[in-house]
């Protein structure tokens, strides 16, 4: 299992969709964990349930390509930010 702490600056449908698409390319189970909540990164509804919160979360992956998944998704999350409409 690989673990990385990431700072999340919120999600909108426009920022969640590419993240879910990226995560779906990996066979590993990939989750964001925050305050006893575990969200599947491959689920757009799960990602959107996090809303616009800005905080540190734990990104975990377990599976055959866990290292590659954490590396790519961690980088994508670091670039994700909410922009005013």
């Amino acid at each position: 299992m690989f673990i990385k702490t990431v700072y999340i600056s919120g999600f909108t449908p426009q920022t969640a969709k590419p993240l879910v698409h990226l995560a779906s390319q990996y066979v590993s189970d990939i989750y964001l964990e925050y305050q006893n909540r575990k969200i599947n990164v491959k689920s757009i509804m799960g990602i959107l349930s996090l809303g616009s919160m800005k905080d540190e979360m734990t990104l975990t992956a377990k599976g055959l390509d866990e290292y590659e998944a954490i590396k790519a998704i961690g980088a994508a999350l670091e670039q994700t930010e909410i922009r005013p409409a």
Side-chain angles (χ1 to χ4, degrees), residues 4-7 19 22 26 59 67-81:
K4 179 177 181 164
T5 300
V6 292
Y7 181 82
L19 182 64
L22 176 63
Y26 296 95
L59 177 66
Y67 175 76
E68 293 84 3
I70 288 285
K71 186 175 174 183
I73 295 167
L77 285 169
E78 290 171 357
Q79 296 174 1
T80 301
E81 43 180 273

Side-chain angles (χ1 to χ4, degrees), residues 4-60:
K4 179 177 181 164
T5 300
V6 292
Y7 181 82
I8 303 298
S9 56
F11 293 103
T12 65
Q14 295 80 17
T15 59
K17 186 177 177 183
L19 182 64
V20 170
H21 178 72
L22 176 63
S24 296
Q25 296 176 14
Y26 296 95
V27 296
S28 295
D29 294 324
I30 307 162
Y31 296 96
L32 277 172
E33 297 180 45
Y34 178 72
Q35 293 185 344
N36 298 322
R37 291 179 61 197
K38 193 172 187 178
I39 305 299
N40 184 339
V41 180
K42 295 179 184 180
S43 165
I44 195 153
M45 294 307 289
I47 295 295
L48 291 176
S49 74
L50 295 173
S52 61
M53 67 173 55
K54 296 182 180 189
D55 209 345
E56 285 187 356
M57 296 185 187
T58 304
L59 177 66
T60 61

